[in-house]
Amino acid sequence: MSRTAVANLLRVSAVSLARAPTVAPRPLLSAVRSLHASAATMAPRKRKVFTYENLNPHVKQAEYAVRGELAIRAEALRKTLDSDQASTLSFDKIVNCNIGNPQQLGQQPITFLRQVSSLLEYPALLDDRNREATLKLFPADAIDRAKDMSKAIGSLGAYSHSMGIPAIRNSVAKFMEERDGFPANPDHIFLTAGASPGVQTILQALIAHDQVGVLVPIPQYPLYTAAISLCNGRAVPYYLDEEGAWTMRADEVRRAIAEARNGGTDVRALCVINPGNPTGNVLSKTDMEAIIKLCHKEGLLLMADEVYQTNVYYPKEQPWYSFKHVLCSMGGDVAKEVELVSFHSISKGMIGECGRRGGYFEVVNVDPRTIEELYKIASISLCPNVQGQVAVDIMVNPPQPGSESYDLYNTEMTHLYESLKRRAEKVAAALNQLEGVQCNRADGAMYLFPKITLPQRAIEAAEEAGKEADAFYTLALLDATGVCTVPGSGFLQRPGTFHFRSTFLPPEDELDGFIARLSKFHKEFFDKYRG
Amino acid sequence: MSRTAVANLLRVSAVSLARAPTVAPRPLLSAVRSLHASAATMAPRKRKVFTYENLNPHVKQAEYAVRGELAIRAEALRKTLDSDQASTLSFDKIVNCNIGNPQQLGQQPITFLRQVSSLLEYPALLDDRNREATLKLFPADAIDRAKDMSKAIGSLGAYSHSMGIPAIRNSVAKFMEERDGFPANPDHIFLTAGASPGVQTILQALIAHDQVGVLVPIPQYPLYTAAISLCNGRAVPYYLDEEGAWTMRADEVRRAIAEARNGGTDVRALCVINPGNPTGNVLSKTDMEAIIKLCHKEGLLLMADEVYQTNVYYPKEQPWYSFKHVLCSMGGDVAKEVELVSFHSISKGMIGECGRRGGYFEVVNVDPRTIEELYKIASISLCPNVQGQVAVDIMVNPPQPGSESYDLYNTEMTHLYESLKRRAEKVAAALNQLEGVQCNRADGAMYLFPKITLPQRAIEAAEEAGKEADAFYTLALLDATGVCTVPGSGFLQRPGTFHFRSTFLPPEDELDGFIARLSKFHKEFFDKYRG
């Protein structure tokens, strides 16, 4: 390797590298020692270096409320519940409605997915000599599927291709082609450990300097502002229309762009979450077309977070379309030119395999050399975990009608879907019964984001406590009931308004109790602060 | 949320946020449109934005040779082998010695680990009604272990604590206490998706500005320079002593620090890989003490990459010690003050579960507020995949003597260990037989890093081809034999020297053929260029 190449890589001068002694001869060693002494004099150092004061300011600045103050307080309360101090609390368990984590709240996994995963883990189960015993525990089509996948994957314990196993990227491409009616290229698909690392990879590549701006919806899922902050970029807020069922308006996005560009921000991307998190909104095709046109005109990368694409509860009234489908349907220059990255995940939908960490993103109309750079970033962390990749394959290629496992699969999916819809409706209705609370219906996703008009005295009490008023409310809710939610301030919201986000994931047989505890707390809180 | 708080989070002015209209009244809308028009005029934009030219320069600058040019070429050759063009190649398979990926080369997984993982995947297997059938396929102690873990974990499909499942962090702490003879705090342990993301998290927090320097060994595992580049820091090279079996010398580190500080670099951390990658060196306790003292005096965070801690082939001659053990043994201010982060992984050792992505790091003597920030970064990506965490638990708490699974476990581990040692010795001996090749013994890890003195004409031919000479050699090796290695230039090396890294992981029954192909190629290459 040439000295200059080494120096470039290391960002030090070639001269200084060339100077490095193999085995330092005496005179050089003393020179080095005196250099060192003078450096120490020039820059005396404290003993500790990895202190909070010294940390990367962009790390310190990042905020992630879903696992913020409330989640930490909930953890402490859980420890209390496990201790001999449990009787000091007025509840007997923590209900984590702060995060879309269905299996934590008792949702059962999809059986076929777990059967195939289990078979792949232990190769002896795929050995024909054990077939009789294995068939007592697993259906034949799960065994066949695991055998096919085993051939395509090799060992589950080997690093895969950094973009993901080629056969699984083929499955994803086929799934998208069937979903969208347009071609998908497996070499433009990256498997990831969930949507979050995918979003972070794209932002890391995109944010080239500290004036790069990325449009984020308000309210937003805080991954976006956190990741933008980590990359030292600028989040450019656009407001969703609460009165219009939280849809997004191209005019409002234009306002945000104009204002940001006038302020010196180099706006380069637009993040859209559809179905919305925390809002539950499902975008209309007309709104999506307006957004795509806007991206075309303004030169914006469209980042489409579509992880809730199967959590769509009124598909006739409010059908969900992928941005890929709408983009390709528009044809012409727009279809050929608008750069799109769309994200999907195994954590949501009816699959709900959050802990497994799997997902993917597809890039459309993106510079091939950019794709190479994304591949390089992926390769630095070697590969997404293979079990997460396996689950992506099963998500996009589930048991088909006629197969042995289809009926159970279909029953599980339908049951869960209908249950989620019933829960969404029931919790929203209950929230709308509460004084000062207005809650839009969840057309999609797993959350409700009610607006809460708090009594003036509660706002003042919050100020005295040094808290945002909705954080004050949700902390009181947690302390009184064990129900952990996230204050609207964690997602950002219009100044002067207050909200909170709650999943509607508690099990159906616990829902009445959940609602009763919430309602009782709410009434007592309002009685206390109504003045 | 207050306007100022929102504005701080978004890095825009509170005034501009306050101005955002709920539903824009007409006059404001026209004002917005004219604003927008003027912004567009001020900054006319190209349609494409996510182009290579526009990307984050630190991303472009990062290099990761383990999956670089050679690996990409190997991928292309593999596609040719799968096509009807296979006969154009003089070999029938690619042997990936570019990466420590043992199960890809046929290494069998540790049975107990896979049994427990398999049982955890499919809850029906833990159901007592299926016990009889399950016992035909799994030993009772694996079932018991899976049941215990299932209780501690809950569902495998739920997000865990972002630092990792508390019970598994307890297991890790216990393991380290037994290994080191000093206490370990589970709340100072972060489970990760392999060592690589852990290293990246620490560097992201550490590198506060573009003058922060991190000392890296040369040769190094290129994760370090790549991650430092992504974080826009400065890699500060210190040379390992090839003549001294690749050990590190405190004097050389001092030279590097002094030189970097004189050049305006704010040197804050020292990375050490022990056992060494790519060098195979195992540090002596004396050398480790000198390094720790140096960190104390110079105010450096010690980052100890200890992922090869069980790949130690001459434990009597060259025993391996953890930096935690040596640090704590030193006592006094040093033991209380030197900040240490040590990394471990399930990918190496005899476990070799690379694709599973699991590992952990422990922080010692680190500011509690820094730990909180590391927790926040972890929470932005939610959690490491749970199956990876499970494998960490089994790695640190394997079957014990007397248990049903112990004998098989012990046989598998011993067999693998002895086989790795035999292969290390055999490949090193073969390399040392080759003209112009000098190869240090691998005291540890999974690699050999021979120095190769290339004929002058080969160096000239490489220059003509625009390649580093060792890249030229290893590309020719790949094209002739299908053996994929990594040129020394990818790990960095003393200017004017050439090396390559090869794992010694090909299966033992293929090793003679592997060595014969390598030797034949080498002779032909030297014959061609000897001049």
Side-chain angles (χ1 to χ4, degrees):
Chain A
M1 181 171 230
S2 73
R3 280 165 192 186
T4 321
V6 175
N8 283 344
L9 199 51
L10 293 172
R11 308 185 59 206
V12 294
S13 78
V15 175
S16 77
L17 265 178
R19 235 188 267 144
T22 305
V23 174
R26 288 237 152 251
L28 187 50
L29 255 187
S30 4
V32 165
R33 279 188 192 124
S34 63
L35 258 177
H36 169 250
S38 74
T41 317
M42 282 166 53
R45 299 185 58 77
K46 285 194 196 158
R47 288 229 161 120
K48 294 267 183 173
V49 65
F50 201 35
T51 56
Y52 180 79
E53 288 68 27
N54 273 353
L55 292 186
N56 179 350
H58 313 304
V59 164
K60 290 195 265 189
Q61 192 184 6
E63 294 196 14
Y64 186 68
V66 173
R67 297 214 158 184
E69 185 186 7
L70 260 91
I72 290 168
R73 170 93 185 124
E75 227 175 285
L77 288 172
R78 198 190 311 277
K79 281 189 183 166
T80 306
L81 284 173
D82 289 343
S83 75
D84 54 8
Q85 299 298 304
S87 61
T88 61
L89 301 177
S90 56
F91 48 87
D92 56 9
K93 69 171 174 178
I94 299 293
V95 184
N96 277 102
C97 293
N98 57 313
I99 186 163
N101 193 8
Q103 294 191 24
Q104 188 199 29
L105 293 178
Q107 181 175 307
Q108 291 306 302
I110 299 297
T111 302
F112 184 79
L113 187 152
R114 293 303 196 89
Q115 287 169 335
V116 175
S117 303
S118 176
L119 288 159
L120 281 167
E121 281 290 352
Y122 184 30
L125 299 179
L126 300 179
D127 188 323
D128 285 338
R129 285 168 297 183
N130 293 325
R131 190 169 173 88
E132 199 184 327
T134 308
L135 273 172
K136 293 220 163 84
L137 293 163
F138 296 89
D141 63 342
I143 299 173
D144 293 344
R145 176 67 174 269
K147 278 188 178 173
D148 289 348
M149 292 192 75
S150 180
K151 265 178 224 145
I153 294 170
S155 173
L156 211 64
Y159 292 126
S160 74
H161 190 293
S162 297
M163 290 171 67
I165 292 157
I168 299 181
R169 287 189 278 126
N170 288 339
S171 295
V172 172
K174 198 161 158 260
F175 159 76
M176 284 195 289
E177 288 178 356
E178 283 167 15
R179 185 193 67 186
D180 298 331
F182 295 96
N185 183 343
D187 291 335
H188 294 172
I189 292 165
F190 287 72
L191 303 186
T192 56
S196 302
V199 167
Q200 291 179 68
T201 297
I202 298 297
L203 290 173
Q204 184 174 37
L206 178 82
I207 297 176
H209 55 75
D210 62 7
Q211 272 135 48
V212 170
V214 177
L215 288 147
V216 294
I218 303 300
Q220 54 124 18
Y221 176 54
L223 163 67
Y224 291 93
T225 44
I228 292 166
S229 174
L230 287 178
C231 295
N232 194 19
R234 296 180 182 187
V236 178
Y238 66 91
Y239 285 96
L240 302 177
D241 180 4
E242 183 162 11
E243 285 68 33
W246 291 118
T247 194
M248 73 186 276
R249 308 278 184 205
D251 275 349
E252 162 60 10
V253 179
R254 270 185 219 108
R255 176 204 63 75
I257 296 170
E259 204 166 282
R261 287 190 178 153
N262 272 341
T265 297
D266 180 2
V267 184
R268 292 194 181 180
L270 169 63
C271 296
V272 181
I273 311 173
N274 182 40
N277 175 2
T279 65
N281 173 265
V282 176
L283 289 174
S284 72
K285 200 167 185 179
T286 315
D287 282 345
M288 292 170 79
E289 286 167 350
I291 293 160
I292 291 169
K293 276 184 204 150
L294 185 153
C295 287
H296 191 242
K297 186 164 173 212
E298 301 291 343
L300 297 177
L301 170 69
L302 178 54
M303 294 176 65
D305 176 337
E306 299 179 331
V307 302
Y308 296 99
Q309 59 186 261
T310 56
N311 298 102
V312 175
Y313 303 115
Y314 307 94
K316 282 184 192 156
E317 276 172 67
Q318 291 283 357
W320 178 85
Y321 300 97
S322 72
F323 268 104
K324 171 86 177 286
H325 168 77
V326 177
L327 175 66
C328 294
S329 304
M330 288 169 77
D333 288 350
V334 168
K336 273 179 270 171
E337 291 175 4
V338 170
E339 296 154 292
L340 167 68
V341 188
S342 64
F343 303 88
H344 196 10
S345 164
I346 59 169
S347 301
K348 310 302 173 186
M350 272 55 71
I351 303 285
E353 289 281 349
C354 305
R356 195 167 296 266
R357 311 312 294 122
Y360 68 82
F361 63 81
E362 184 199 24
V363 296
V364 176
N365 294 328
V366 166
D367 184 346
R369 291 207 296 159
T370 296
I371 296 173
E372 280 171 28
E373 293 295 306
L374 296 174
Y375 179 24
K376 186 180 71 185
I377 299 177
S379 77
I380 295 171
S381 292
L382 299 157
C383 70
N385 79 86
V386 175
Q387 273 288 22
Q389 299 186 46
V390 165
V392 168
D393 195 79
I394 292 165
M395 175 175 74
V396 299
N397 184 13
Q400 296 304 303
S403 69
E404 184 177 351
S405 291
Y406 178 74
D407 284 347
L408 177 62
Y409 170 78
N410 192 44
T411 304
E412 289 174 338
M413 293 293 276
T414 309
H415 169 82
L416 258 173
Y417 171 80
E418 286 170 357
S419 168
L420 284 169
K421 183 176 171 179
R422 277 195 302 272
R423 285 181 272 172
E425 287 174 348
K426 188 165 181 170
V427 178
L431 288 167
N432 277 319
Q433 294 294 316
L434 302 180
E435 181 182 353
V437 174
Q438 276 177 287
C439 185
N440 279 324
R441 184 176 84 174
D443 289 331
M446 293 182 169
Y447 313 99
L448 293 164
F449 195 64
K451 180 166 162 178
I452 172 166
T453 308
L454 289 166
Q456 188 54 36
R457 280 190 43 213
I459 295 172
E460 288 161 14
E463 248 166 53
E464 269 168 45
K467 307 260 179 226
E468 301 292 337
D470 45 19
F472 183 75
Y473 173 87
T474 50
L475 274 167
L477 171 65
L478 173 62
D479 282 340
T481 64
V483 171
C484 184
T485 59
V486 188
S489 41
F491 302 93
L492 305 181
Q493 53 198 348
R494 280 191 189 280
T497 69
F498 301 108
H499 300 75
F500 65 93
R501 185 187 86 166
S502 177
T503 71
F504 44 78
L505 297 175
E508 272 192 291
D509 59 358
E510 296 177 17
L511 213 54
D512 287 332
F514 169 77
I515 288 171
R517 284 200 299 284
L518 186 68
S519 304
K520 177 166 177 281
F521 159 77
H522 185 85
K523 185 171 180 304
E524 288 169 0
F525 184 92
F526 268 61
D527 285 348
K528 179 170 178 187
Y529 290 106
R530 198 181 287 105
Chain B
M1 185 171 227
S2 74
R3 281 161 192 188
T4 321
V6 175
N8 283 346
L9 199 50
L10 293 171
R11 307 184 61 207
V12 295
S13 77
V15 175
S16 77
L17 263 180
R19 235 188 267 143
T22 306
V23 174
R26 289 235 153 253
L28 187 49
L29 256 187
S30 2
V32 164
R33 276 183 194 128
S34 64
L35 257 177
H36 170 249
S38 74
T41 318
M42 284 166 52
R45 298 185 61 78
K46 285 193 198 159
R47 287 229 161 119
K48 293 267 185 173
V49 64
F50 201 35
T51 57
Y52 179 79
E53 287 68 26
N54 274 351
L55 292 186
N56 179 350
H58 312 305
V59 164
K60 290 195 266 190
Q61 192 186 6
E63 294 195 13
Y64 187 70
V66 173
R67 297 216 157 180
E69 184 185 8
L70 261 92
I72 290 168
R73 170 95 184 122
E75 226 173 285
L77 288 171
R78 197 191 310 276
K79 282 189 184 168
T80 307
L81 284 173
D82 289 343
S83 76
D84 54 8
Q85 300 298 303
S87 62
T88 61
L89 301 178
S90 57
F91 48 88
D92 58 9
K93 69 172 177 179
I94 299 294
V95 183
N96 278 101
C97 294
N98 55 314
I99 185 163
N101 193 8
Q103 294 192 23
Q104 188 199 29
L105 294 177
Q107 181 175 307
Q108 291 306 302
I110 298 299
T111 301
F112 185 78
L113 187 152
R114 293 304 195 90
Q115 287 170 334
V116 174
S117 302
S118 176
L119 289 159
L120 281 168
E121 281 291 353
Y122 184 29
L125 300 178
L126 300 180
D127 188 324
D128 285 337
R129 285 166 300 183
N130 293 325
R131 190 169 175 88
E132 201 184 325
T134 308
L135 274 171
K136 294 218 162 85
L137 294 162
F138 296 89
D141 62 343
I143 299 174
D144 293 344
R145 176 67 174 268
K147 278 189 180 175
D148 288 347
M149 292 192 76
S150 180
K151 264 179 226 145
I153 294 171
S155 173
L156 212 62
Y159 293 127
S160 74
H161 190 291
S162 297
M163 289 170 69
I165 292 158
I168 298 180
R169 287 188 278 125
N170 287 339
S171 295
V172 172
K174 198 162 159 258
F175 158 77
M176 285 194 290
E177 287 177 356
E178 282 167 15
R179 184 193 69 187
D180 298 330
F182 294 95
N185 182 344
D187 292 335
H188 294 173
I189 293 165
F190 287 72
L191 302 186
T192 56
S196 301
V199 168
Q200 291 179 66
T201 297
I202 297 297
L203 290 172
Q204 184 174 37
L206 179 82
I207 298 177
H209 56 75
D210 63 6
Q211 274 137 46
V212 170
V214 177
L215 288 149
V216 294
I218 303 299
Q220 53 126 16
Y221 175 55
L223 163 68
Y224 292 94
T225 45
I228 292 166
S229 174
L230 288 178
C231 295
N232 194 21
R234 298 180 180 185
V236 178
Y238 66 90
Y239 287 96
L240 301 178
D241 180 5
E242 184 161 11
E243 286 67 33
W246 291 118
T247 195
M248 73 186 276
R249 307 279 184 206
D251 275 349
E252 162 60 9
V253 179
R254 269 185 219 108
R255 175 206 61 76
I257 296 170
E259 203 165 283
R261 287 189 177 152
N262 273 340
T265 297
D266 180 2
V267 184
R268 291 194 181 180
L270 169 63
C271 296
V272 181
I273 311 175
N274 181 41
N277 175 2
T279 63
N281 172 266
V282 176
L283 290 174
S284 71
K285 199 167 185 178
T286 315
D287 282 345
M288 292 171 79
E289 286 166 349
I291 293 159
I292 291 169
K293 275 184 205 149
L294 184 154
C295 288
H296 191 242
K297 184 164 175 212
E298 301 291 342
L300 298 176
L301 170 68
L302 178 54
M303 293 175 65
D305 177 338
E306 300 179 334
V307 302
Y308 297 98
Q309 61 188 261
T310 57
N311 298 103
V312 176
Y313 303 115
Y314 307 95
K316 281 183 193 157
E317 274 173 69
Q318 290 284 355
W320 177 85
Y321 300 96
S322 73
F323 268 103
K324 170 84 177 285
H325 168 77
V326 177
L327 174 65
C328 293
S329 303
M330 288 168 78
D333 287 350
V334 168
K336 272 179 268 169
E337 291 175 4
V338 170
E339 296 154 292
L340 167 68
V341 187
S342 64
F343 302 88
H344 196 11
S345 165
I346 59 169
S347 300
K348 309 303 171 187
M350 272 54 73
I351 303 283
E353 289 282 348
C354 304
R356 196 167 296 265
R357 312 310 296 121
Y360 68 82
F361 63 81
E362 183 198 25
V363 296
V364 177
N365 293 331
V366 167
D367 184 345
R369 292 206 296 160
T370 296
I371 297 174
E372 280 171 28
E373 293 296 305
L374 297 173
Y375 179 24
K376 185 179 71 186
I377 299 177
S379 77
I380 295 172
S381 292
L382 298 156
C383 69
N385 79 86
V386 175
Q387 274 288 24
Q389 299 186 47
V390 165
V392 169
D393 195 80
I394 293 165
M395 174 176 76
V396 299
N397 183 14
Q400 296 305 305
S403 68
E404 184 177 352
S405 291
Y406 178 75
D407 285 348
L408 177 61
Y409 170 79
N410 191 43
T411 303
E412 288 174 341
M413 295 292 277
T414 309
H415 169 84
L416 258 173
Y417 171 81
E418 285 170 356
S419 169
L420 284 170
K421 182 175 172 179
R422 277 195 302 272
R423 284 181 272 171
E425 287 174 349
K426 187 163 182 171
V427 178
L431 287 168
N432 278 320
Q433 294 294 316
L434 302 180
E435 179 180 356
V437 174
Q438 278 177 287
C439 186
N440 277 326
R441 182 175 88 173
D443 289 331
M446 294 182 169
Y447 314 99
L448 294 164
F449 195 64
K451 180 167 164 177
I452 171 165
T453 307
L454 289 165
Q456 189 54 35
R457 280 191 43 217
I459 295 171
E460 289 161 13
E463 248 166 54
E464 270 168 46
K467 308 259 179 226
E468 301 291 338
D470 44 20
F472 183 77
Y473 173 87
T474 50
L475 273 166
L477 170 65
L478 172 62
D479 282 339
T481 63
V483 172
C484 185
T485 58
V486 188
S489 42
F491 302 93
L492 305 179
Q493 53 198 347
R494 280 190 188 279
T497 69
F498 301 108
H499 299 76
F500 65 93
R501 186 187 83 166
S502 177
T503 71
F504 44 79
L505 296 175
E508 272 193 291
D509 58 358
E510 297 177 17
L511 212 55
D512 287 333
F514 169 78
I515 287 170
R517 285 199 299 284
L518 186 69
S519 304
K520 177 167 177 283
F521 159 78
H522 184 86
K523 183 171 183 308
E524 288 169 1
F525 184 92
F526 268 61
D527 285 349
K528 179 169 176 188
Y529 291 108
R530 196 179 290 102

